[in-house]
């Protein structure tokens, strides 16, 4: 029993966490709180997608909002003009995000842009797409696009109740956790870690760093774009803001604060950040949305100074101090 | 033709201030290899510093400049010593994230404290223009240009001709070797961040006379500064100067011919192309 638990500890803990979140709507029935739950699982999902590039491979990308936004722009336009179901649209959006990611990343990695240079490049990508979307009428301009309403059904990904969206996004998040867990323990995952720790050393040991970074980037872009369509179906509209750098930062923060390159870091970060944001909104009111950003910023600085790897390593250090060697 | 000439003059005047912004960011990058995401917010602080000095104490911006400069220098030193130096000097990613956190905090704190409203310094000379060879030029802009040049010149001279400047250049070249030669690297970093912050604050103070002042103005400047710094070469002060002037002129001249939205798109395209084709920028390399 015990060896079995130990061997499959991460798979079991994903099941446990998934079950816990699946049971939450039994207790939480109020619309406002359900909305918070949806945001938590959505941002946990998005941040986990970012973490494949930003955490595991250590490439600080500020451009993930670009990939995120491409998803719903494609799925909504296909839906509007050709009545394509969002399920097909989201895959198409994912593929376009992959294409854009490749167009961006090929020269970026080819010319060896790393660290600050890579970060600046992704910043420009996000800014460029935001401006383009705001100025093209076909893309809805600055006002954005509305998701056309057909009927409440699974195939059109439109539901009357928030719980349905919650379970849909939760399913994506749990599947992603299994996927990331698989990556973590695979050869590819070790390559990513090697690149994060020392790219030159990894290259000299025979890791094809450019190719590995590219694959991570493409996977991450595809999955992020899927999240974009989920978001759009839930919100039922999008505007160019979702392509912009500030949105990228919102995607990044849960993973950084929870702990990059860990299994549950993005989820923990999303729980902490979204709870704080909504708590402040509840008690202080809309006028003080700035306050939640101040708190976000302070948490970001505090977490990095205290534990540069985020909350999960910090907590496990405190938690498992007694049982040294028991945690993997 | 007259329109074009005055656009060029206007661009050069703005470009001088952009050059000062870029020089501050570039200096920090050149020595510490980190991009300071809070740079735009530091400009905003400089602007508000002069604004409140004028509003509450009636001090003219060109006088409060002399106050803003040292305050910003020590603020920068405090940021470096209190926050950025607390993580490993090799861990650039963590350092960048600290500056990002700082940027988020400063921008939103300013919004909370001072409201998101646009403000102006209603000094008597705000709209005064001078006639230069038949072109009307705003006097505050000429002062801002001249002030920026003095500031860049002083920083450049400090780096090239003083002992602390030589220590900074040595640290930029090889941190470990500089440390072994007895240079206090952490202190040098603090001084460099202080100078960078002072450049941002002085620029903010210089333009507070003729720009709208509001908490979110930093995000406008930060993207512009990134474009210039990448174009001119990260870490190069000469590059910042030339890049600032070129981008200033490109900005004002293109405003004559193409719509503003397209103008920004052109920027970012230039930015990406420079990153790909010549990431060192036109003058990349040394301080």
């Amino acid at each position: 029993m015990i060896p079995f638990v130990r061997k499959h500890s991460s798979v079991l803990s994903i099941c446990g966490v998934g079950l816990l979140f699946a049971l939450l709507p039994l207790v939480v029935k109020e619309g406002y709180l359900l909305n918070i739950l949806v945001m938590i699982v959505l941002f946990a999902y998005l941040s986990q997608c970012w973490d494949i590039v930003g955490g595991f491979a250590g490439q600080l990308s500020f451009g993930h909002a670009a990939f995120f936004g491409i998803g719903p722009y494609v799925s909504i336009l296909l839906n509007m003009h050709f009545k394509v179901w969002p399920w097909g649209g989201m895959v198409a959006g994912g593929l376009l995000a992959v294409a854009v990611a490749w167009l961006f990343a090929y020269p970026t990695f080819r010319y060896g842009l790393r660290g600050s240079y890579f970060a600046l490049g992704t910043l420009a990508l996000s800014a460029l797409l935001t401006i383009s979307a705001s100025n093209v009428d076909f893309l809805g301009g600055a006002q954005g696009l509305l998701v056309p309403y057909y009927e409440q059904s699974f195939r059109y990904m439109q539901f009357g109740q928030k719980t349905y969206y919650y379970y849909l996004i939760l399913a994506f998040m749990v599947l992603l956790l299994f996927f990331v867990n698989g990556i973590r323990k695979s050869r590819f995952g070790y390559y990513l870690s090697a690149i994060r720790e020392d790219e030159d050393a990894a290259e000299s040991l025979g890791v094809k760093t450019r190719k590995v970074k590219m694959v991570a980037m493409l996977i991450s872009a595809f999955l992020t774009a899927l999240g974009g369509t989920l978001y759009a179906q839930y919100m039922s509209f999008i505007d160019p803001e979702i392509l912009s750098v500030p949105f990228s930062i919102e995607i990044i923060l849960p993973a950084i604060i929870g702990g990059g390159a860990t299994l549950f870091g993005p989820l923990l970060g999303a729980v902490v950040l979204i709870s704080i944001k909504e708590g402040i909104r509840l008690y202080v009111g809309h006028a003080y949305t700035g306050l939640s950003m101040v708190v976000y910023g302070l948490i970001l600085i505090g977490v990095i100074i205290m534990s540069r790897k985020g909350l999960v390593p910090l907590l496990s250090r405190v938690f498992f101090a007694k049982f040294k060697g028991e945690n993997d | 033709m007259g329109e074009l000439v005055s656009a060029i003059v206007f661009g050069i005047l703005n470009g001088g201030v952009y050059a000062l912004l870029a020089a501050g960011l570039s200096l920090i990058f050149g020595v510490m290899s980190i991009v300071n995401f809070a740079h735009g917010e530091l400009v905003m602080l400089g602007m508000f510093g002069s604004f409140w000095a004028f509003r509450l104490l009636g001090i003219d911006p060109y006088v409060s400049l002399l106050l803003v400069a040292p305050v910003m220098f020590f603020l920068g030193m405090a940021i470096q010593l209190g926050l950025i130096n607390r993580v490993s000097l090799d861990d650039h990613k963590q350092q960048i994230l600290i500056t990002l956190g700082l940027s988020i905090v400063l921008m939103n704190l300013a919004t909370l404290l001072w409201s998101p409203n646009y403000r102006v310094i209603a000094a008597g000379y705000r709209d005064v223009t001078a006639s230069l060879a038949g072109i009307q030029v705003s006097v505050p802009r000429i002062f801002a240009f001249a002030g920026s040049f003095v500031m860049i010149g002083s920083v450049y001279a400090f780096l090239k001709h003083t002992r602390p400047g030589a220590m900074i250049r040595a640290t930029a070249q090889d941190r470990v070797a500089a440390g072994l030669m007895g240079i206090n690297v952490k202190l040098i970093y603090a001084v460099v961040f202080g100078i960078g912050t002072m450049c941002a604050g002085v620029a903010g103070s210089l333009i507070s006379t003729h720009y709208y002042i509001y908490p979110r103005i930093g995000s406008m400047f930060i993207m512009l500064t990134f474009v210039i710094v990448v174009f001119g070469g990260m870490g190069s002060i000469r590059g910042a100067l030339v890049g600032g002037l070129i981008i200033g002129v490109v900005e004002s001249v293109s405003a004559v011919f193409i719509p503003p939205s397209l103008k920004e798109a052109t920027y970012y395209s230039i930015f990406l192309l420079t990153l790909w084709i010549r990431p060192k920028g036109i003058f990349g390399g040394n301080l």
Side-chain angles (χ1 to χ4, degrees), chain B residues 72-83 85 187 189-195 197:
Chain B
M72 292 301 282
F73 176 75
F74 287 113
L75 176 71
M77 275 190 85
I79 292 170
Q80 180 66 31
L81 290 173
L83 301 175
N85 267 352
L187 187 66
Y189 276 18
V191 171
V192 166
F193 207 90
I195 297 174
T197 306

Short mmCIF file of all heavy atoms in Angstrom, two decimals, chain B residues 72-83 85 187 189-195 197:
data_model
loop_
_atom_site.label_atom_id
_atom_site.label_comp_id
_atom_site.label_asym_id
_atom_site.label_seq_id
_atom_site.Cartn_x
_atom_site.Cartn_y
_atom_site.Cartn_z
N MET B 72 15.22 61.15 -6.00
CA MET B 72 15.10 59.97 -6.86
C MET B 72 16.36 59.12 -6.81
O MET B 72 16.29 57.90 -6.86
CB MET B 72 14.80 60.39 -8.31
CG MET B 72 13.44 61.02 -8.52
SD MET B 72 12.06 59.96 -8.06
CE MET B 72 11.97 58.88 -9.47
N PHE B 73 17.51 59.78 -6.70
CA PHE B 73 18.76 59.01 -6.62
C PHE B 73 18.73 58.10 -5.39
O PHE B 73 19.01 56.90 -5.48
CB PHE B 73 19.96 59.96 -6.54
CG PHE B 73 21.27 59.25 -6.36
CD1 PHE B 73 21.87 58.59 -7.41
CD2 PHE B 73 21.88 59.23 -5.11
CE1 PHE B 73 23.07 57.92 -7.24
CE2 PHE B 73 23.09 58.55 -4.93
CZ PHE B 73 23.67 57.90 -6.00
N PHE B 74 18.36 58.68 -4.24
CA PHE B 74 18.35 57.86 -3.02
C PHE B 74 17.22 56.83 -3.05
O PHE B 74 17.38 55.73 -2.53
CB PHE B 74 18.27 58.76 -1.78
CG PHE B 74 19.57 59.47 -1.51
CD1 PHE B 74 19.70 60.83 -1.63
CD2 PHE B 74 20.72 58.72 -1.19
CE1 PHE B 74 20.91 61.47 -1.42
CE2 PHE B 74 21.93 59.35 -0.97
CZ PHE B 74 22.03 60.73 -1.09
N LEU B 75 16.10 57.18 -3.69
CA LEU B 75 15.02 56.19 -3.84
C LEU B 75 15.53 54.99 -4.63
O LEU B 75 15.32 53.84 -4.25
CB LEU B 75 13.82 56.82 -4.54
CG LEU B 75 12.67 55.85 -4.83
CD1 LEU B 75 11.96 55.47 -3.54
CD2 LEU B 75 11.67 56.43 -5.82
N GLY B 76 16.24 55.27 -5.72
CA GLY B 76 16.79 54.20 -6.54
C GLY B 76 17.75 53.34 -5.76
O GLY B 76 17.73 52.10 -5.83
N MET B 77 18.63 53.99 -4.99
CA MET B 77 19.57 53.23 -4.16
C MET B 77 18.82 52.35 -3.17
O MET B 77 19.16 51.19 -2.95
CB MET B 77 20.49 54.19 -3.39
CG MET B 77 21.68 54.63 -4.18
SD MET B 77 22.87 55.51 -3.15
CE MET B 77 23.83 54.19 -2.44
N ALA B 78 17.76 52.91 -2.59
CA ALA B 78 16.98 52.16 -1.60
C ALA B 78 16.32 50.95 -2.26
O ALA B 78 16.29 49.86 -1.68
CB ALA B 78 15.92 53.06 -0.96
N ILE B 79 15.79 51.13 -3.49
CA ILE B 79 15.15 50.01 -4.19
C ILE B 79 16.16 48.89 -4.41
O ILE B 79 15.91 47.72 -4.16
CB ILE B 79 14.57 50.47 -5.55
CG1 ILE B 79 13.39 51.41 -5.33
CG2 ILE B 79 14.16 49.27 -6.39
CD1 ILE B 79 12.91 52.09 -6.59
N GLN B 80 17.36 49.28 -4.85
CA GLN B 80 18.38 48.27 -5.13
C GLN B 80 18.83 47.57 -3.85
O GLN B 80 18.90 46.36 -3.78
CB GLN B 80 19.57 48.92 -5.85
CG GLN B 80 20.68 47.96 -6.20
CD GLN B 80 20.27 46.93 -7.22
OE1 GLN B 80 19.44 47.18 -8.08
NE2 GLN B 80 20.83 45.73 -7.12
N LEU B 81 19.12 48.36 -2.82
CA LEU B 81 19.64 47.78 -1.57
C LEU B 81 18.56 46.99 -0.84
O LEU B 81 18.81 45.92 -0.30
CB LEU B 81 20.18 48.88 -0.65
CG LEU B 81 21.48 49.56 -1.12
CD1 LEU B 81 21.81 50.73 -0.23
CD2 LEU B 81 22.62 48.56 -1.15
N GLY B 82 17.33 47.52 -0.85
CA GLY B 82 16.27 46.91 -0.05
C GLY B 82 15.57 45.76 -0.75
O GLY B 82 15.08 44.85 -0.09
N LEU B 83 15.49 45.80 -2.09
CA LEU B 83 14.71 44.77 -2.78
C LEU B 83 15.56 43.92 -3.72
O LEU B 83 15.69 42.72 -3.53
CB LEU B 83 13.57 45.42 -3.58
CG LEU B 83 12.56 46.26 -2.80
CD1 LEU B 83 11.58 46.92 -3.75
CD2 LEU B 83 11.81 45.38 -1.81
N ASN B 85 18.80 43.67 -4.46
CA ASN B 85 19.99 43.00 -3.95
C ASN B 85 19.68 41.80 -3.06
O ASN B 85 20.57 41.03 -2.73
CB ASN B 85 20.85 43.99 -3.13
CG ASN B 85 21.91 44.65 -3.99
OD1 ASN B 85 22.10 44.27 -5.14
ND2 ASN B 85 22.58 45.64 -3.44
N LEU B 187 27.27 47.82 -3.65
CA LEU B 187 27.15 49.27 -3.53
C LEU B 187 27.15 49.92 -4.91
O LEU B 187 26.37 50.84 -5.20
CB LEU B 187 28.30 49.82 -2.68
CG LEU B 187 28.20 51.30 -2.35
CD1 LEU B 187 26.99 51.56 -1.46
CD2 LEU B 187 29.46 51.80 -1.66
N TYR B 189 26.12 48.57 -7.65
CA TYR B 189 24.80 48.32 -8.24
C TYR B 189 23.79 49.34 -7.72
O TYR B 189 22.95 49.85 -8.46
CB TYR B 189 24.31 46.90 -7.91
CG TYR B 189 24.83 45.85 -8.86
CD1 TYR B 189 25.93 46.10 -9.67
CD2 TYR B 189 24.22 44.60 -8.94
CE1 TYR B 189 26.40 45.13 -10.54
CE2 TYR B 189 24.69 43.63 -9.81
CZ TYR B 189 25.77 43.90 -10.61
OH TYR B 189 26.23 42.95 -11.47
N ALA B 190 23.87 49.62 -6.40
CA ALA B 190 22.92 50.57 -5.81
C ALA B 190 23.12 51.96 -6.41
O ALA B 190 22.15 52.65 -6.74
CB ALA B 190 23.09 50.60 -4.30
N VAL B 191 24.39 52.35 -6.60
CA VAL B 191 24.67 53.67 -7.19
C VAL B 191 24.13 53.71 -8.63
O VAL B 191 23.50 54.69 -9.04
CB VAL B 191 26.18 53.97 -7.16
CG1 VAL B 191 26.50 55.22 -7.97
CG2 VAL B 191 26.65 54.15 -5.72
N VAL B 192 24.36 52.62 -9.37
CA VAL B 192 23.90 52.58 -10.76
C VAL B 192 22.37 52.67 -10.82
O VAL B 192 21.81 53.44 -11.61
CB VAL B 192 24.38 51.28 -11.45
CG1 VAL B 192 23.64 51.05 -12.75
CG2 VAL B 192 25.87 51.37 -11.69
N PHE B 193 21.71 51.91 -9.96
CA PHE B 193 20.25 51.97 -9.96
C PHE B 193 19.78 53.36 -9.54
O PHE B 193 18.80 53.88 -10.05
CB PHE B 193 19.66 50.90 -9.03
CG PHE B 193 18.28 50.46 -9.45
CD1 PHE B 193 18.12 49.40 -10.33
CD2 PHE B 193 17.15 51.11 -9.00
CE1 PHE B 193 16.86 49.00 -10.74
CE2 PHE B 193 15.87 50.72 -9.41
CZ PHE B 193 15.74 49.66 -10.27
N GLY B 194 20.54 53.97 -8.62
CA GLY B 194 20.23 55.35 -8.21
C GLY B 194 20.35 56.32 -9.38
O GLY B 194 19.46 57.14 -9.61
N ILE B 195 21.43 56.20 -10.14
CA ILE B 195 21.62 57.10 -11.29
C ILE B 195 20.52 56.88 -12.33
O ILE B 195 19.94 57.83 -12.85
CB ILE B 195 23.01 56.90 -11.94
CG1 ILE B 195 24.11 57.27 -10.94
CG2 ILE B 195 23.15 57.76 -13.19
CD1 ILE B 195 25.52 56.97 -11.45
N THR B 197 17.53 55.75 -11.83
CA THR B 197 16.28 56.29 -11.29
C THR B 197 16.28 57.81 -11.37
O THR B 197 15.26 58.43 -11.68
CB THR B 197 16.12 55.85 -9.82
OG1 THR B 197 16.23 54.43 -9.77
CG2 THR B 197 14.77 56.26 -9.27
#
